């Protein structure tokens, strides 16, 4: 009881001192202290001495958090310095440092003997990201943020950073140049002389059998090349779980290239990591970024940003094929359930002997008469696929964006299907009957329950993150800390709109002779 209390209050003092009380306390305290560790540029040099062979089996989670060079903001930098501002983040020097750090880090981890599960969480960011335009951004280890920290982030922490924009320009839409900065490429083609050299470099990295899970969360807005990730994952021969939360590409042509790289990633995992049993892919986005980029390039043929993402059918087919040996699969926005289920429908011999949970998104879940038949077709094909998933426990198909949210849920025990959404939709007989057959295959005496649930109209869907929350989707869809960060981003965006609206009202009032100065504080 004493030890439990000490560990719960670990933030109040140096818990490591209690390890000197006795051998028993040393073992238990070290298990707690070493279960989750973080590694950055400063700690990497002393990493091997900090984690001994005796304490290495205690480590279950490593957060590799790499900080890039700081950069100036065009809103607060002196005009004479603008020409000296770095255009790219990461810079070429940054990428070379990441490359060297990975060589060192993989070399150290390669000496670890496999000891249960070990999750490697990789994040890359610049301290300047949250000092200029994106003050609300946070960079956290993979853990649910406590209430105090959430409130601190939401209501501002002016004491937490010494360097802030002086013009509060974070209250207006971010320009395309700043958005492009935080979405730079990690270890890109500038780091290597050729694709062959890059492939050889990944291939020569030491194998790390201790790692069983990889997290790449949405707080890393800079982009890993999916093809490179496939090569990285091949260095983990015991990899069982992949959780990847990339951001969508903003340029239409870049998106097509990235989709080809997604295909390469999926093929690589199937070939080099056949033991993987859990895959989560959550492609994040922010409508305000797309709006800002479209506004910044209204007629440019060199840059074309689509308002909404159009998923690739080819990637959908490969995800469907990759799911055959999985136990858990969740794919949001990267592919559409329609292409996934079409691939399943076109390959009648496919079966999923291990699959327990399946979560997909689809753009056909929208209100309106025209959507009724596409929704029914998706759900009918989902039932046909579920009949070849003998261990399936839950299936979710959902859609969410600003203003709408809807989901279809099947659960095996007790048997039920549920429609939940921001608009009424009735599951008709032609949809319900195939799911009755799914239930009958398992238990001829079981009865299927059909539910319809409405989301309270008081809940406003500011984005897909609100949809995840109010649809009660499973936690495996996205990491809890990522969901919190996206919802915080939504709140900031709502505040920006309120400021802009008030500013326009002030201008109108001032112009109509009501004597309201548009320069008065708007918040």
């Amino acid at each position: 009881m004493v030890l439990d209390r000490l560990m719960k209050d670990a933030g109040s003092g140096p818990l490591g001192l209690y390890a000197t009380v006795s051998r028993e306390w040393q073992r238990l305290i070290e298990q707690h202290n070493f279960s989750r560790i973080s590694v950055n540029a400063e700690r990497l040099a002393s990493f091997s001495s900090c984690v001994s062979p005796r304490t290495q089996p205690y480590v279950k989670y490593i957060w590799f958090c790499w900080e890039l060079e700081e950069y100036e903001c065009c809103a607060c930098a002196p005009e004479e310095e603008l020409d000296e501002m770095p255009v790219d983040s990461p810079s070429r020097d940054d990428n070379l440092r990441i490359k060297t750090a990975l060589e060192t880090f993989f070399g150290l981890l390669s000496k670890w003997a496999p000891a249960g599960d070990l999750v490697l969480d990789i994040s890359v960011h610049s301290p300047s990201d949250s000092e200029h335009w994106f003050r609300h951004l946070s960079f956290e280890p993979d853990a649910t943020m406590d209430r105090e920290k959430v409130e601190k982030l939401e209501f501002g922490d002016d004491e937490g950073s010494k360097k802030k924009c002086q013009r509060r320009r974070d209250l207006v839409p971010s320009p395309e140049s700043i958005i492009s900065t935080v979405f730079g490429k990690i270890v890109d083609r500038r780091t290597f002389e050729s694709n062959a050299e890059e492939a050889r470099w990944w291939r020569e990295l030491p194998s790390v059998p201790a790692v069983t899970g990889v997290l790449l969360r949405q707080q890393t807005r800079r982009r890993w090349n999916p093809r490179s990730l496939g090569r990285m994952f091949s260095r983990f021969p015991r990899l069982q779980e992949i959780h990847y939360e990339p951001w969508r590409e903003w340029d239409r042509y870049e998106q097509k290239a990235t989709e080809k790289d997604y295909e390469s990633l999926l093929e690589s995992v199937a070939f080099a990591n056949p033991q993987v049993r859990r895959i989560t892919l959550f492609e994040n986005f922010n409508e305000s970024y797309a709006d800002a980029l479209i506004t910044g390039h209204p007629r440019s043929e060199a840059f074309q940003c689509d308002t909404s993402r159009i998923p690739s059918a080819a990637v959908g087919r490969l995800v469907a094929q990759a799911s055959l040996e999985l136990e858990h699969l969740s794919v949001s926005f990267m592919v559409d359930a329609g292409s996934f289920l079409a691939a399943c429908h076109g390959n009648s011999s496919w079966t999923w002997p291990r699959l327990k949970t399946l979560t997909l998104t689809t753009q056909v879940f929208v209100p309106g008469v025209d959507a009724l038949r596409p929704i029914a077709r998706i759900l009918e094909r989902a039932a046909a696929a579920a009949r070849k998933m003998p261990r399936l426990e839950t299936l979710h198909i959902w859609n969410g964006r600003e203003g709408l949210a809807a989901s279809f849920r099947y659960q095996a025990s007790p048997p039920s299907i549920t429609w939940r959404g921001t608009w009424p939709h009735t599951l008709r007989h032609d949809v319900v009957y195939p799911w009755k057959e799914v239930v009958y295959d398992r238990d001829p005496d079981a009865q299927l329950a059909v539910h319809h649930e409405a989301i309270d109209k008081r809940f406003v869907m500011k984005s897909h993150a609100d949809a995840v929350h109010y649809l009660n989707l499973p936690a495996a869809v996205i990491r809890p800390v990522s969901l919190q960060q996206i919802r915080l981003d939504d709140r900031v965006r709502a505040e920006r709109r309120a400021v802009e609206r008030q500013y326009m009202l002030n201008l109108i009032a001032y112009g109509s002779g009501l004597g309201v100065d548009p320069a008065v504080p708007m918040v």
Side-chain angles (χ1 to χ4, degrees), residues 5 17 27 55 84 116 126 159 171-172 190 199 202 226 263 319 340 369 396 403 408 444 457 472 478 495 502:
R5 182 56 183 268
L17 293 177
R27 178 175 58 84
T55 57
E84 302 176 7
S126 168
E159 301 297 327
L171 293 177
V172 297
R190 296 169 298 164
W202 285 108
E263 294 176 26
V319 169
F340 180 98
V369 176
H396 291 81
F408 171 87
K457 293 183 179 180
N472 302 323
I478 186 172
E495 290 175 354
Q502 184 61 53

Side-chain angles (χ1 to χ4, degrees), residues 135-368:
R135 291 185 60 217
H136 58 285
L137 296 190
S138 63
F139 302 94
E140 307 285 335
D142 182 57
T144 303
M145 292 186 286
D146 57 48
R147 185 178 182 84
E148 179 181 355
K149 185 172 290 186
V150 171
E151 291 178 350
K152 192 174 184 181
L153 286 171
E154 289 186 348
F155 296 106
D157 178 19
D158 289 330
E159 301 297 327
S161 177
K162 297 179 181 178
K163 182 180 178 183
K164 297 291 183 183
C165 274
Q166 299 174 3
R167 301 186 188 180
R168 291 302 305 273
R169 290 290 297 277
D170 54 315
L171 293 177
V172 297
S174 305
E176 66 276 9
S177 59
I178 301 299
I179 294 174
S180 300
T181 296
V182 297
F183 286 100
K185 307 289 186 180
I186 302 174
V187 191
D188 63 356
R189 58 181 177 271
R190 296 169 298 164
T191 315
F192 303 93
E193 293 184 0
S194 65
N195 290 333
E197 181 190 349
E198 180 186 1
R200 183 169 59 253
W201 179 79
W202 285 108
R203 196 164 50 246
E204 292 175 354
L205 277 182
S207 177
V208 185
V211 170
T212 59
V214 175
L215 298 182
L216 296 158
R217 293 177 288 128
Q218 66 87 35
Q219 67 181 18
T220 299
R221 301 188 173 207
R222 288 162 182 83
R223 308 181 187 281
W224 291 95
N225 185 306
R227 187 184 300 269
S228 299
L229 290 180
R231 293 163 176 165
M232 179 196 293
F233 296 159
S234 71
R235 309 319 300 152
F236 306 134
R238 292 180 63 243
L239 188 63
Q240 299 171 24
E241 178 174 5
I242 297 171
H243 189 105
Y244 180 30
E245 298 173 354
W247 281 74
R248 62 160 283 194
E249 292 282 358
W250 303 114
D251 180 71
R252 183 184 304 164
Y253 303 104
E254 285 284 345
Q255 185 64 62
K256 291 181 179 179
T258 298
E259 285 167 355
K260 290 293 184 183
D261 292 330
Y262 281 147
E263 294 176 26
S264 176
L265 168 61
L266 292 166
E267 291 169 348
S268 175
V269 169
F271 175 76
N273 304 99
Q275 73 286 350
V276 168
R277 292 294 175 260
R278 303 176 63 96
I279 293 180
T280 297
L281 305 172
F282 188 97
E283 187 176 76
N284 197 19
F285 59 93
N286 185 316
E287 284 111 335
S288 66
Y289 295 175
D291 292 342
L293 290 166
I294 292 171
T295 302
H297 301 273
R299 295 183 177 86
S300 173
E301 295 183 0
F303 182 94
Q304 294 290 329
C305 180
D306 294 313
T307 304
S308 60
R309 167 88 152 88
I310 302 174
S312 164
V315 177
R317 288 192 294 271
L318 281 173
V319 169
Q321 188 170 3
S323 69
L324 296 175
E325 298 299 325
L326 298 179
E327 295 179 6
H328 304 275
L329 174 66
S330 176
V331 186
S332 301
F333 305 112
M334 186 180 294
V335 303
D336 193 275
S339 59
F340 180 98
L341 295 170
C344 300
H345 181 74
N347 293 272
S348 58
S349 62
W350 283 5
T351 59
W352 293 260
R354 298 185 177 92
L355 196 64
K356 296 179 181 179
T357 65
L358 175 61
T359 303
L360 302 167
T361 53
T362 179
Q363 295 181 350
V364 306
F365 278 18
V366 293

Side-chain angles (χ1 to χ4, degrees), residues 8 47 84 94 101 109-110 129 190 197-198 249 265 327 341 418 454 476-477 487 511 515:
K8 288 178 181 178
F47 180 69
E84 302 176 7
D94 265 330
L109 289 183
S110 68
D129 295 343
R190 296 169 298 164
E197 181 190 349
E198 180 186 1
E249 292 282 358
L265 168 61
E327 295 179 6
L341 295 170
T418 303
V477 170
R487 297 188 74 196

